[in-house]
Amino acid sequence: MEKIEFLDLGQQPITNNFLSNEAPQNEFLYNLRVGYDQATSLVSLMEFIPPIKMFNENYAHRASQSQTMRKAYKELSDNLKKKFKPKSILEIGSNDGVFLKNFNNIINVGVEPCKNLAKITNKIGIKTYSEFWNYNLSNKIINEIGLFDIVYSANTVSHIHDLEDALYSISNILNKNGIFILEDPSLLETLKKVSYDQFYDEHAYVFSIYSLNKIIKDIDLEIFYVEKLNTHGGSNRVYFKKKFGNQKVSNNIDRMISEEKELGINKFETYLDFSKKIKNSKKNLKNLFNIIKDKNKKIIGYGATYKSSTVLNYCKIDKNYIEYFIDTTPNKQGKFTPGTHIPIIDPKDGMNETVDFAFLGAWNFRKEIMNKEIKFIDRGGKFITHVPNPRIL
Ligand code: TYD
């Protein structure tokens, strides 16, 4: 792959490296740069971070934390059961089992390299392999359990550096008429929303349908349907079948690819323009914070997301701007944000009358959060977002 760099987001930490110490020594930082591949139009990080630095027993993200996500997974599992009547399902990146536990009456198997998470699902009776997904593991599971009717993977394939191996191994473990469902952030939405915080250590790739289609050319997989989702700030749910599988190929794929091409997803100049917009976004967000700070108002962060780590570190927004973050995830509380060292506390302790502004780290849950924080809004509290452009809501 011939990647050409179009974006430099500066020195960045490991987004999952929530710190127990406010002034850590030797914090790992690397230069986050993003590139474009002419042949496949694939957008990826210029330099990949060793997986073990990111996906280990300290992994903080819990998929079941959000009500929106719990509901979405329940709905999806009901639909899949109705439509495909699977007898077996494998999830790659099963996290804390929020999706797989909806399939307790069929063979449901997880793959989750983060040991703390695999422990949770093994405990509730979902057989979980705590290993990285690759060809060897696919063969091991085939030997021990067999082939699968459905392979599901949300926000995981975009993390796997050897993409071709990952997809080949999925095709390997699927039944003849099996389907693979991939869910990952959409490059189209990232471009439209200037949500450059989709780029961080874990997101080795941000996919378009156009690029996925090119990558599977030599693999026994074919896209037969695509759904647009609101999750994670705009994602695609892409359904694949085997080339001779019996599912009908929808004409919505051509439509989606046309939409992507209209936005110039397959042209390098689009990314140079995107890069300019990102520089502007940084300037405008910093200005906004400075104006609010000059008025001596208190700003906190709402949701210490992985995504926000890219924004804070790129825009150099630290404790001088954001007093603390609130986050519902217990194992983020009491820690400090990576790179910028802002304390993270329980919302119960931090969402009080002294707060004037809350920067939406979890902008992807804007609706859920604004519904929940009516009291804050009613007394004049305001939210700040950087998506699609920095502003007060
Ligand atoms: P997530 O959407 O997974 O983003 P990322 O993948 O970029 O980390 O994270 C959402 C975070 O926001 C998670 O840490 C929980 C937190 N959160 C709250 O603290 N309060 C809320 O009301 C919601 C919806 C999320």
Side-chain angles (χ1 to χ4, degrees), residues 73 82 97 110 138 148 191 202 225 243 300 309 315 331 350 361:
Y73 283 127
K82 225 192 282 160
S138 74
F148 284 79
L191 292 173
E202 294 181 14
Y225 189 62
K243 290 199 168 120
I300 66 160
S309 177
C315 300
N331 48 353

Side-chain angles (χ1 to χ4, degrees), residues 25 34 39 53 59 79 97 104 110 122 133 137-138 164 168 178-179 189 195 206 215 244 272 291 306 319 327 333 341:
Q25 292 190 338
V34 189
K53 272 197 186 298
Y59 200 75
N79 285 341
N104 273 340
N122 270 318
W133 175 253
L137 180 60
S138 74
E164 284 182 40
Y168 184 74
I179 62 167
E189 291 303 315
S195 47
V206 178
I215 288 149
F244 292 103
L272 293 177
I291 291 168
Y306 294 168
K319 256 186 337 205
D327 197 291
Q333 294 165 3
H341 311 164

Side-chain angles (χ1 to χ4, degrees), residues 106-252:
I106 62 167
I107 298 170
N108 58 351
V109 177
V111 171
E112 178 49 71
C114 304
K115 298 218 160 25
N116 57 330
L117 299 171
K119 215 188 252 171
I120 300 174
T121 43
N122 270 318
K123 221 184 221 163
I124 56 171
I126 299 171
K127 166 98 181 146
T128 308
Y129 291 82
S130 195
E131 294 177 46
F132 287 101
W133 175 253
N134 57 30
Y135 188 62
N136 284 343
L137 180 60
S138 74
N139 282 332
K140 179 170 153 184
I141 301 177
I142 293 170
N143 283 334
E144 291 180 9
I145 297 169
L147 298 174
F148 284 79
D149 290 339
I150 295 184
V151 173
Y152 176 70
S153 188
N155 303 300
T156 301
V157 175
S158 62
H159 300 181
I160 303 179
H161 301 164
D162 193 343
L163 189 55
E164 284 182 40
D165 176 79
L167 294 169
Y168 184 74
S169 313
I170 289 168
S171 150
N172 187 40
I173 207 165
L174 276 181
N175 269 321
K176 194 167 85 213
N177 288 316
I179 62 167
F180 162 48
I181 304 162
L182 167 145
E183 228 175 275
D184 271 301
S186 147
L187 182 60
L188 185 77
E189 291 303 315
T190 304
L191 292 173
K192 279 188 184 165
K193 297 192 171 101
V194 198
S195 47
Y196 61 90
D197 48 354
Q198 290 294 5
F199 299 117
Y200 57 86
D201 52 347
E202 294 181 14
H203 286 185
Y205 303 96
V206 178
F207 297 131
S208 60
I209 310 300
Y210 183 87
S211 64
L212 280 171
N213 218 9
K214 294 237 167 191
I215 288 149
I216 54 170
K217 211 168 57 54
D218 299 323
I219 299 173
D220 186 11
L221 287 174
E222 180 180 3
I223 302 175
F224 71 93
Y225 189 62
V226 183
E227 265 174 81
K228 286 188 183 188
L229 308 175
N230 288 326
T231 45
H232 287 287
S235 299
N236 287 320
R237 181 177 287 152
V238 188
Y239 292 74
F240 299 77
K241 66 182 189 75
K242 292 213 163 185
K243 290 199 168 120
F244 292 103
N246 60 4
Q247 297 81 0
K248 194 170 156 277
V249 179
S250 157
N251 54 15
N252 92 333

Side-chain angles (χ1 to χ4, degrees), residues 15 18 59-63 65-69 155 197-198 200 202-203 232-233 302-309 326-329 332-333 345 347 361-366 368-370 372-373:
T15 48
F18 293 94
Y59 200 75
H61 173 78
R62 290 290 154 83
Q65 278 295 314
S66 141
Q67 193 198 334
T68 312
M69 293 309 288
N155 303 300
D197 48 354
Q198 290 294 5
Y200 57 86
E202 294 181 14
H203 286 185
H232 287 287
Y302 201 112
T305 56
Y306 294 168
K307 288 191 289 295
S308 64
S309 177
I326 53 166
D327 197 291
T328 50
T329 316
K332 288 183 186 174
Q333 294 165 3
I345 61 173
W363 59 266
N364 46 314
F365 291 114
R366 185 178 136 181
E368 178 174 339
I369 291 170
M370 290 184 82
K372 195 157 88 180
E373 300 298 348

